[in-house]
Amino acid sequence: MTRRRLPEWFVLLLPAIVVIAAVVLIPLIFSLYSSFTPYKLTRPSTLWRWVGTYNYEKILTDAKFWAAFGRTVLFLTVVLNLELLLGLGIALLMNRVTWGQRTLRTILMFPMMFSPILVGFQFKFIFNDNIGLVNNVLQSLGSDAALPWLVDGRLAMFSIMFAEIWMSTSVFAILILAGLFAMPRDPLEAAKVDGCTPWQTFRHITLPFLMPFIYIAMTIRSLDVARAYDIVQIMTGGGPARRTELLWTLMSRTGYVDARMGLANAMGYVSILLSILFTIYFFRKLSAARAEIGMAG
Amino acid sequence: MRKQYIAGALLAGTALAGSAIASDWGSFDGVTVEAKLIGGQQYEALYGRIAEWEAATGATVDIISKKSHFEIDKEIKSDMAAGTTDWCVGSNHSSFAPQYEGLYIDLNGMVPEDTIAEFVPGNIKASTVDGALLMLPRAQFDVSVLYYLKSNYEDADKAAAFKAEYGYDLAVPETWEQVRDQAIFFADPPNFYGTQYAGKDEAIVGRFYEMVVAEGGSYLDEEKKPVFNSEAGQRALQWFVDLYAAKAVPAGTTSYVWDDLGQGFASGTVALNLDWPGWAGFFNDPESSKAAGNVGVAIQPMGSVTRTGWSGHHGFSVTSDCPNKEAAVSLVTFLTSEDSQLAESAGGSLPTRTAVWKANVEAAQNGDDPYRAEALAAFAAGAEYAFAVPPIPEWGETTNIVFPELQAAIVGDKTVQQALDDAAEAVDELMRESGYY
C-alpha cells in the first residue's frame, strides 16, 4: 500500500500559506462576514445574526458617512498635490547641493522618524487657540485675535493638512531625489546644446523621467493618507461638529467606542474602494509614464 | 487643638470598629484574584491596602491592568469579543456598567444585605441595572459643583457696574441664567473668560443632559424614545450657544474635556467653573493652581426647574467567568469597606458609605481647613440633587450621535432646533434598531 503524498511544491509552500491564512485571509473573511451581521463587541451573540446587506444599505444612505468620504477625498487630493509640489521643489534644490548633501538628506527625513501620534500632539499644542504657539506669535506681533485653529472648519482642516504635509513631504522628496540621481545626463546635455531654456529642459526631459517615481510616491502616499487617523484623532478627533471627520475617525468610533463592529467593517469595505480606485489610477498613470520614456514592458 | 483631637479620636474609633470586622474576609489560601483596576495616583492609597486583605485571606491579587475607565472600557470590549473574561475583579463606572451584557455577576445574595444597607441608597440604586447589583460603589458619587474666583465678588466697582447693566446684585450665581449673565460680564477674551464647558464626547452630552433635566425636560422618555429636542432641551442648548456666541468661553472649548477644564480654571483665567469634586484640592493648591487662595465652592446652580446634578460613580464588579467568585466578592467588599473609604476619602475623594460621609463632614467642621469644610458642605448639598444617566447599554452610543450635533449648534453650523431634531432622529433610529420600540 502506498501512502498518498502531498505534492512537494505544496508542502514547501504550506508554512507560508498557513501564515498568510492566519494573519490575512481568515481576518479578512471574518470581517467581511461580520459586515453582514449586527455584530457588537459587547454582545458576542450578535455575531451569528445574519442581516444581509442592512449595514451596507445604511451606509449608502448615510449622509454623515458620505460627508466623511468626501472630506477624505478632499484631504487626499490637497495633501498629495501639495506634498508633490513641495517634495519636487525640495528634491530639485537638493540635487543642486554639492557639499553636505548626505547630511541634508538625513535632516530631511527627521519628520518621518516621529510617531504620528506625537506629531499630532505637537501640532495640537502649536495650534491651540489659548496657549498655542501660533496664536502667541500672532498676539506678540500685535494681533489681538485668538484664532480658533482647531475649531473653525477651514482652519481645522488646514491645521491637520499642515501637520500631515509637515510629516510626510520628505517621502516625495526622497523618492524624487532617487529619480534625479538615476537620470541619464546625455539628454540634459543635448538639450543644453540645442539651446533649450531651463524650463523647457525641466518640462520636456526632467519631468517625464521623474514621472514614474512620482507615481510610485503617489501610490504609496495615497494609501497612507487615505487611512489618516492618528494625527486627526489627536488634533481634533474628527470634530468639532464633524468638521474634520475622516473615514477612519468615523470608523474607529463606530467600531471601538460604539462597539458596532459589523457596521464599522462594512464602512471599511466601502471605503477600501477609495484606495483601490486611487491605486488603479496611479498604476495606470505609472505605466503610461514608463511608456513615455521608453521603459514600458 | 482640642477639636482636632476629638476629630482624630472619632476617626480612630471608626477605624477600630472597622478593623474588628476585618478578620471576616474569609480564607482563600493559594487563590489568585486577577483584577483590572482604574489607574491614577489618587487610587494608589486604596491599592496599598490590598496587602492587608492578602494577609488576612491568604489569597494573592494580581493587578493585570491599571488604566482610565475609557481605556478599560475598550479593553473589556476586546476581552468580550475574544472571550477572555476569566479575570475576576473589574473597576466599573455607572455610565459604562449597563453595556457589558452578562460580563458581571449580580452581587445581591453574594454580599450580605446588611453590608449593602450601609451604602448611600442612591449609589446602590445607580449601581443596579435590571434588578442586578452590578458593582459595589467605591467612591465619587460625584455631582459637579460651582467653583468660582472669590475676588470677582469682592470688587465694589465690578458690583456697581454689574448692577447697572443687569439690574440685580452681583453675588455667587444661584441660577444658570445668572451664570450666563455673569460669565458674559466677566469675560475679557482672549485673556479672561467668564466660564467654560466640556465640548466633546460624553462630557458635553452629560452636561447638556443635566441642563435638560434642570430645565424640566428629559433625555429619553419611558419608552426610551429621545425627547431632548423639547422646549426644555432647546433652552438647555441655547445656554451653551449664547455663551459661545458672546465669546464668554474659550473658542477651543468645543475640544475640551475634563483635564483641559481643570487646567483652565487652575490657570486663574476663568471666573466660574462647574466641575467635579475631585478637583477641589488641586484648585486650591499653590503648587498646581494660580487660583489657589481665591477659590470659592458653592452648590451647583439651578435651571428653571431644579439644580443640575449629572452624576456618575466608580465601583468594583466581579466577572461571571471568575473561577473563585467568593474570593473576588470578598476583595470587592474589602475595597469598599468603611476602613478603605475612610483611608481613601482622606485624600479628597467622596465616599459612598453613609457613616464615612458623616465622619468626613464632622472632621472637616472640627478641623482648621475652612476651604475643605466649604467644599465638603457644597458636595454634600449638591449630591442631594444627583441623578445618573439612563441605565441602558446604548447611553454611550447616543452620546456619540448627539455630541457633534450639539457642537454644530454651538459653533453656529445649525440652529438649536435643527441640531436637536437631527440628533433626536438619529437616536430614534438607534433605539428602534436596538429593539426598544
Side-chain angles (χ1 to χ4, degrees):
Chain A
M1 203 173 109
T2 52
R3 278 177 61 199
R4 267 181 55 197
R5 292 183 58 171
L6 292 166
E8 226 161 71
W9 61 266
F10 184 73
V11 175
L12 287 171
L13 283 178
L14 200 59
I17 291 173
V18 169
V19 170
I20 289 175
V23 301
V24 179
L25 203 62
I26 293 173
L28 211 61
I29 293 170
F30 178 75
S31 61
L32 183 64
Y33 162 76
S34 74
S35 72
F36 293 100
T37 68
Y39 181 38
K40 283 198 84 162
L41 286 180
T42 47
R43 299 184 177 211
S45 58
T46 49
L47 183 56
W48 311 115
R49 231 179 78 207
W50 182 263
V51 290
T53 54
Y54 179 81
N55 287 332
Y56 288 93
E57 283 163 29
K58 195 175 157 82
I59 290 167
L60 292 178
T61 54
D62 183 2
K64 286 167 208 149
F65 175 80
W66 289 110
F69 193 96
R71 225 173 274 121
T72 310
V73 174
L74 174 77
F75 185 73
L76 198 61
T77 314
V78 174
V79 166
L80 278 186
N81 282 303
L82 285 179
E83 280 186 7
L84 164 65
L85 286 179
L86 291 170
L88 184 62
I90 292 172
L92 289 171
L93 288 175
M94 288 276 279
N95 198 33
R96 308 197 73 139
V97 174
T98 49
W99 186 84
Q101 201 196 52
R102 278 186 191 185
T103 318
L104 263 183
R105 277 206 311 260
T106 313
I107 293 173
L108 185 69
M109 290 175 78
F110 276 178
M112 285 165 64
M113 296 175 192
F114 293 113
S115 142
I117 300 264
L118 295 182
V119 173
F121 277 119
Q122 170 192 311
F123 279 99
K124 186 182 181 185
F125 167 69
I126 290 175
F127 286 117
N128 182 295
D129 58 290
N130 198 11
I131 52 164
L133 221 57
V134 180
N135 274 356
N136 271 317
V137 169
L138 288 178
Q139 280 161 20
S140 61
L141 288 176
S143 154
D144 63 346
L147 287 181
W149 288 101
L150 299 175
V151 176
D152 180 90
R154 290 206 180 115
L155 288 179
M157 277 309 266
F158 167 82
S159 306
I160 49 179
M161 282 173 182
F162 190 92
E164 184 72 41
I165 291 169
W166 179 86
M167 193 177 76
S168 301
T169 293
S170 40
V171 176
F172 272 92
I174 296 292
L175 284 170
I176 294 173
L177 197 59
L180 285 171
F181 286 165
M183 227 177 115
R185 314 302 302 172
D186 307 359
L188 290 177
E189 278 157 19
K192 218 178 233 173
V193 172
D194 290 348
C196 287
T197 63
W199 168 250
Q200 285 171 327
T201 315
F202 171 73
R203 173 69 191 82
H204 298 288
I205 299 175
T206 313
L207 199 58
F209 261 109
L210 289 180
M211 281 324 271
F213 293 88
I214 287 176
Y215 283 121
I216 288 172
M218 283 274 199
T219 315
I220 296 173
R221 284 293 298 149
S222 74
L223 293 174
D224 250 4
V225 180
R227 59 189 167 83
Y229 170 70
D230 11 35
I231 288 182
V232 187
Q233 182 63 26
I234 299 295
M235 287 179 69
T236 63
R242 299 196 186 89
R243 285 168 167 182
T244 54
E245 185 89 292
L246 301 184
L247 280 173
W248 284 92
T249 50
L250 178 67
M251 256 185 270
S252 74
R253 193 171 313 117
T254 310
Y256 290 105
V257 183
D258 295 346
R260 305 178 86 176
M261 208 35 108
L263 184 63
N265 278 331
M267 286 181 181
Y269 277 98
V270 175
S271 51
I272 270 180
L273 287 178
L274 183 67
S275 296
I276 292 176
L277 286 179
F278 267 86
T279 311
I280 291 175
Y281 175 75
F282 287 132
F283 268 118
R284 284 207 174 153
K285 286 286 197 184
L286 175 64
S287 303
R290 282 165 63 90
E292 198 180 325
I293 56 168
M295 286 167 68
Chain B
M1 188 71 195
R2 208 181 148 223
K3 277 182 183 168
Q4 266 177 319
Y5 173 71
I6 295 171
L10 203 118
L11 279 173
T14 330
L16 216 70
S19 53
I21 320 164
S23 54
D24 227 13
W25 298 118
S27 177
F28 307 105
D29 270 329
V31 172
T32 299
V33 178
E34 289 189 324
K36 294 197 174 204
L37 304 177
I38 181 166
Q41 199 50 44
Q42 62 269 49
Y43 309 112
E44 286 306 316
L46 177 65
Y47 302 151
R49 301 195 75 243
I50 289 176
E52 261 178 58
W53 180 81
E54 289 177 328
T57 59
T60 316
V61 178
D62 182 10
I63 301 176
I64 53 175
S65 185
K66 243 192 221 181
K67 292 174 177 161
S68 77
H69 268 137
F70 289 104
E71 293 304 314
I72 288 189
D73 174 59
K74 285 180 197 151
E75 198 174 293
I76 287 177
K77 283 170 181 166
S78 305
D79 278 346
M80 291 180 76
T84 50
T85 49
D86 56 350
W87 38 277
C88 281
V89 170
S91 265
N92 209 343
H93 189 290
S94 51
S95 296
F96 294 114
Q99 56 179 338
Y100 310 130
E101 191 189 51
L103 174 67
Y104 292 127
I105 59 166
D106 180 5
L107 291 168
N108 285 313
M110 298 289 285
V111 178
E113 271 181 33
D114 299 351
T115 310
I116 295 175
E118 287 164 12
F119 287 88
V120 176
N123 290 19
I124 292 296
K125 193 175 158 218
S127 306
T128 305
V129 177
D130 292 334
L133 179 62
L134 291 181
M135 59 174 145
L136 278 190
R138 190 204 90 226
Q140 288 176 338
F141 187 65
D142 45 3
V143 169
S144 293
V145 293
L146 189 72
Y147 295 92
Y148 60 93
L149 298 183
K150 287 194 283 195
S151 53
N152 280 324
Y153 300 94
E154 291 159 358
D155 182 335
D157 291 345
K158 263 187 195 161
F162 182 83
K163 186 150 190 191
E165 196 173 339
Y166 291 93
Y168 61 94
D169 286 331
L170 178 63
V172 177
E174 253 296 303
T175 67
W176 284 111
E177 230 177 285
Q178 291 171 0
V179 171
R180 170 167 41 199
D181 291 349
Q182 295 186 15
I184 294 171
F185 175 76
F186 290 137
D188 176 24
N191 303 313
F192 193 82
Y193 292 99
T195 186
Q196 52 180 359
Y197 46 76
K200 64 175 184 179
D201 299 337
E202 191 214 7
I204 186 180
V205 184
R207 285 284 178 246
F208 167 70
Y209 162 64
E210 65 178 339
M211 282 297 229
V212 174
V213 174
E215 287 296 326
S218 303
Y219 188 75
L220 303 174
D221 69 5
E222 301 268 300
E223 256 192 313
K224 307 287 182 265
K225 215 173 159 55
V227 288
F228 52 73
N229 52 344
S230 60
E231 273 183 30
Q234 290 177 34
R235 279 200 304 276
L237 181 53
Q238 193 63 49
W239 183 86
F240 294 86
V241 175
D242 288 350
L243 285 169
Y244 194 84
K247 294 192 177 9
V249 293
T253 204
T254 48
S255 63
Y256 292 179
V257 280
W258 310 125
D259 270 3
D260 311 283
L261 298 169
Q263 298 291 354
F265 186 70
S267 73
T269 59
V270 176
L272 298 158
N273 183 39
L274 182 73
D275 221 325
W276 303 99
W279 287 102
F282 184 86
F283 287 156
N284 211 37
D285 179 354
E287 297 251 314
S288 54
S289 165
K290 285 186 187 159
N294 188 21
V295 181
V297 191
I299 185 170
Q300 68 276 15
M302 284 191 66
S304 56
V305 174
T306 179
R307 290 185 192 276
T308 46
W310 166 40
S311 81
H313 71 278
H314 298 182
F316 292 111
S317 302
V318 174
T319 61
S320 309
D321 294 342
C322 172
N324 196 324
K325 294 190 186 62
E326 284 74 22
V329 170
S330 164
L331 175 63
V332 166
T333 317
F334 172 82
L335 288 171
T336 54
S337 67
E338 205 166 311
D339 266 2
S340 296
Q341 293 214 345
L342 273 172
E344 219 195 339
S345 58
S349 77
L350 299 185
T352 54
R353 283 171 170 268
T354 319
V356 183
W357 259 114
K358 266 192 197 155
N360 279 345
V361 173
E362 276 173 31
Q365 278 168 355
N366 298 330
D368 55 1
D369 184 351
Y371 174 74
R372 171 115 179 107
E374 180 188 347
L376 269 179
F379 302 156
E384 285 178 28
Y385 299 89
F387 47 85
V389 299
I392 49 166
E394 290 78 10
W395 160 254
E397 213 174 326
T398 69
T399 65
N400 279 329
I401 293 172
V402 174
F403 92 77
E405 300 297 343
L406 299 181
Q407 288 180 330
I410 290 169
V411 298
D413 285 358
K414 290 184 181 179
T415 64
V416 163
Q417 164 104 51
Q418 192 189 358
L420 289 179
D421 285 349
D422 289 352
E425 195 186 318
V427 172
D428 184 61
E429 190 186 337
L430 169 71
M431 291 304 174
R432 220 178 277 277
E433 275 177 13
S434 307
Y436 284 101
Y437 45 86

